[in-house]
Amino acid sequence: MKKAIAIVLCALLVVGMFTGCAKKAEPATKLEQIKAAGVLVVGTSPDYPPYEFVIAGENGQMEYKGIDISIAEEIAKDLGVELKIEAVDFDGLDSALQMGTIDMILAAYNPDDKRAEVMDFSDTYYIDEVVALVTAETADSYTDLATSFDGKKVGVQLGTTLETDYFPQATGAEKVALKKVTQLVSELKAGALDAIFVEKPIAESYIANNPELAIATGISFGVEAAGYVVGLPKNSPELAAAVNATIKRLVDANAIAGFAETAQDTQDQAILD
C-alpha cells in the first residue's frame, strides 16, 4: 500500500513539475505583443515642425508635439495602450523598426520601393508640397530646376525621398545631405548652403522665425507627392488594419487638419538644436 501511495505521489510530482515549467503562450502577432506590453513605442525625428518637434512643458520637462504626435496619440488610444515616443535620427528609423526597438514610424514618412522591402505601410494620411527654401534676397533668382541650381549647394535631409527623388531634378547642383533639418537651416543662414529642399509647412515654420529666409516660388518639382504613411513591421497585417482604422476615423472627421492647425500654433515654441 505504501508503495502504491509513493508511486502516485511521484506521478503527481512529475505532472506538477511539467505544469510549472510550461511556458505561457507568447502573443502571436505584433498587435497582440503591443497590447500585452501595454505600450506603443513610436519612433520619430523631432526636428521637423509642424509634424514632430519638442517644446518645454509647464513643469520644465520636454514634451513632444506635432501632427504626427497627435496621430500617434490617437492610435495608442484606439489600441488601449500607453504611448511612448522614441527620438531617433531620421536615417536610423528604418533600422530601429527592423530591430524591434520601436513598433512603428511616424515621421512625415514617405513610402518607396526600397523601404517596402523591409516594412509595411499604412494608408496615406497626409499629402504635402515640396519647395526650395532659400535666402529672401536670392529667392527671385531661382526660376527653374534645369538651370537655377547649377553649381549651387543644395541641402536635403539624409535618408529621405527629398534626397532620392527631388534632389536629382536640380541639374548641376551639389548635394549636401545632413541628418537634421535644423542643421540644414543653420548652414543656409550661414551661407554654406544656397538652398534646402523641404516640405512647404516645414519651410513656412522656419521662415516664421527667420524672416531672412523665403520660398523660391519659381521652383516646382516634377515628382508627384506620395503622401505620408506610418511605417510598420513587415508582415503585420493585424497592426496595419488597426492603424488604418484610426487613420480612416481621423480623415473622415477632418481631424488631421485640426492637428496641423494646433501644431502650427505651437511650433514657435519648438526647441531646435
Side-chain angles (χ1 to χ4, degrees):
M1 183 68 178
K2 290 182 179 179
K3 186 175 181 181
I5 293 172
I7 292 172
V8 171
L9 289 174
C10 286
L12 291 173
L13 179 61
V14 170
V15 170
M17 288 174 64
F18 276 103
T19 303
C21 293
K23 289 186 177 180
K24 191 175 181 180
E26 293 292 330
T29 69
K30 184 62 178 177
L31 178 59
E32 290 175 349
Q33 290 170 14
I34 292 168
K35 289 186 174 182
V39 179
L40 174 66
V41 183
V42 173
T44 194
S45 180
D47 62 339
Y48 215 56
Y51 295 99
E52 41 266 339
F53 54 96
V54 178
I55 67 170
E58 293 181 2
N59 58 2
Q61 292 185 333
M62 298 299 99
E63 296 180 4
Y64 293 100
K65 298 291 183 180
I67 299 168
D68 286 335
I69 305 304
S70 295
I71 294 171
E73 290 171 347
E74 292 297 317
I75 293 171
K77 182 178 74 174
D78 286 352
L79 295 181
V81 297
E82 297 294 320
L83 174 64
K84 179 183 178 183
I85 300 295
E86 193 72 35
V88 181
D89 285 341
F90 191 89
D91 64 332
L93 286 168
D94 294 11
S95 297
L97 184 66
Q98 291 178 69
M99 290 188 295
T101 55
I102 59 175
D103 298 317
M104 62 182 62
I105 299 169
L106 266 157
Y109 201 72
N110 297 118
D112 62 32
D113 292 340
K114 184 177 179 180
R115 289 170 178 166
E117 294 175 0
V118 296
M119 70 181 71
D120 293 337
F121 304 118
S122 73
D123 294 337
T124 300
Y125 62 83
Y126 204 69
I127 298 176
D128 236 328
E129 176 187 359
V130 172
V131 299
L133 180 64
V134 299
T135 59
E137 62 184 12
T138 64
D140 292 340
S141 67
Y142 294 94
T143 57
D144 64 82
L145 286 164
T147 62
S148 294
F149 295 97
D150 188 24
K152 304 289 188 182
K153 291 184 177 181
V154 175
V156 288
Q157 190 174 25
L158 184 67
T160 65
T161 55
L162 297 166
E163 179 184 10
T164 58
D165 297 347
Y166 290 87
F167 173 80
Q169 298 181 55
T171 303
E174 178 184 344
K175 182 176 71 176
V176 178
L178 300 177
K179 288 186 176 183
K180 295 182 180 293
V181 177
T182 48
Q183 296 172 320
L184 292 168
V185 172
S186 295
E187 294 291 288
L188 178 61
K189 291 167 63 178
L193 291 177
D194 297 295
I196 301 170
F197 292 168
V198 71
E199 285 89 349
K200 189 174 182 180
I202 310 304
E204 291 173 338
S205 171
Y206 281 98
I207 290 169
N209 294 314
N210 301 276
E212 70 273 27
L213 303 181
I215 292 172
T217 56
I219 300 300
S220 60
F221 292 89
V223 176
E224 184 178 350
Y228 299 135
V229 298
V230 182
L232 300 164
K234 196 73 174 173
N235 300 319
S236 55
E238 298 85 2
L239 180 59
V243 170
N244 286 336
T246 298
I247 289 173
K248 185 179 187 305
R249 174 174 66 80
L250 296 175
V251 170
D252 288 349
N254 200 31
I256 295 177
F259 296 161
E261 184 176 347
T262 300
Q264 287 164 354
D265 289 341
T266 314
Q267 66 188 11
D268 60 342
Q269 303 174 41
I271 299 171
L272 303 172
D273 51 22

